[in-house]
Amino acid sequence: DAGVTQSPTHLIKTRGQQVTLRCSPKSGHDTVSWYQQALGQGPQFIFQYYEEEERQRGNFPDRFSGHQFPNYSSELNVNALLLGDSALYLCASSRSLGDSLYTEAFFGQGTRLTVV
Amino acid sequence: AQTVTQSQPEMSVQEAETVTLSCTYDTSESDYYLFWYKQPPSRQMILVIRQEAYKQQNATENRFSVNFQKAAKSFSLKISDSQLGDAAMYFCAYPDRGTSYGKLTFGQGTILTVHP
């Protein structure tokens, strides 16, 4: 089992550009969540995708958008990049069993985005 | 909204000694989970231990144990017989009950250094 894989591992972009980050969930998982982790801080929830739809969203502007494909993989898109978007972007996958049931989330190794 | 607070930015411990990392949280829920995650330099978040709020008994996983004080909303992690491989950033996290606990709220993290 490959676990959660993210690509690329590192990325450098210029202010104003657009970026797409990719995530493949762990086998058997159907739910993908994205987090932004600034240096030295805890991760902040961006949004979650389930059944190809955004199910829940954190306090992030519309410049942050996503997509989930039929094979459950997901993309995070950020438009009009700002210097403050420089961070580690983490993807986590889990298996949805209903709102009252907990299933463990597994994380990828993240994509380090640097905006210059 | 749930909040998670870790008041120790950095902690250090000698190899083979015991260290305790602190976490407090705020929630209006009565039934919930709490987690401790470890993030080594490889960046991948790894679940260390999980506590279910309705359980009176503190969770234990090998050298890792928690002291869960529900009334005080305190959730500390004790690492016994510390090893060099325990060096990492540790995060306390609270999962939202809805959407299969998909949204995790993390604390600010505690950097743990283990001295040989």
Side-chain angles (χ1 to χ4, degrees):
Chain A
D1 184 3
V4 180
T5 58
Q6 293 185 242
S7 63
T9 55
H10 295 84
L11 201 53
I12 300 175
K13 288 287 190 178
T14 304
R15 275 180 299 175
Q17 284 189 315
Q18 179 263 343
V19 68
T20 297
L21 310 182
R22 295 176 175 81
C23 173
S24 293
K26 182 178 170 63
S27 178
H29 287 187
D30 56 9
T31 302
V32 173
S33 301
W34 287 92
Y35 292 83
Q36 180 194 65
Q37 185 179 16
L39 194 62
Q41 301 294 316
Q44 299 288 318
F45 177 79
I46 303 175
F47 43 52
Q48 182 186 80
Y49 276 83
Y50 171 68
E51 291 189 341
E52 301 181 50
E53 291 195 356
E54 183 182 291
R55 183 159 69 170
Q56 195 175 13
R57 188 178 183 92
N59 188 25
F60 279 80
D62 292 344
R63 298 187 298 109
F64 289 77
S65 63
H67 188 78
Q68 185 179 36
F69 298 93
N71 67 353
Y72 307 118
S73 66
S74 177
E75 289 182 349
L76 164 64
N77 301 292
V78 187
N79 294 322
L81 284 167
L82 303 173
L83 295 180
D85 294 332
S86 295
L88 179 67
Y89 289 84
L90 294 167
C91 169
S93 74
S94 58
R95 188 159 65 101
S96 183
L97 295 177
D99 286 350
S100 63
L101 296 175
Y102 161 75
T103 59
E104 182 179 343
F106 289 79
F107 284 80
Q109 82 284 5
T111 294
R112 173 74 67 192
L113 172 65
T114 302
V115 182
V116 298
Chain B
Q2 291 82 7
T3 59
V4 178
T5 303
Q6 292 178 250
S7 58
Q8 304 159 316
E10 297 183 34
M11 291 286 284
S12 64
V13 64
Q14 290 293 132
E15 200 174 3
E17 298 289 303
T18 296
V19 64
T20 299
L21 309 183
S22 302
C23 172
T24 58
Y25 61 95
D26 189 25
T27 181
S28 58
E29 300 282 344
S30 58
D31 188 18
Y32 49 88
Y33 291 90
L34 288 163
F35 306 134
W36 277 99
Y37 279 89
K38 170 185 178 181
Q39 187 178 38
S42 66
R43 311 182 316 203
Q44 189 165 16
M45 283 285 190
I46 301 165
L47 181 64
V48 173
I49 198 165
R50 176 178 84 213
Q51 175 75 43
E52 296 169 75
Y54 70 89
K55 289 188 175 179
Q56 302 285 350
Q57 191 171 8
N58 289 323
T60 299
E61 286 286 342
N62 300 312
R63 298 182 295 106
F64 298 87
S65 62
V66 301
N67 183 4
F68 174 52
Q69 304 284 334
K70 190 175 183 180
K73 294 182 180 175
S74 170
F75 181 58
S76 61
L77 174 70
K78 185 171 83 171
I79 306 174
S80 304
D81 186 25
S82 297
Q83 301 176 0
L84 295 178
D86 295 333
M89 194 150 186
Y90 286 81
F91 293 96
C92 179
Y94 178 103
D96 271 0
R97 187 185 179 92
T99 63
S100 299
Y101 298 93
K103 176 186 175 183
L104 290 163
T105 299
F106 288 88
Q108 304 91 321
T110 298
I111 299 172
L112 177 65
T113 302
V114 181
H115 298 289

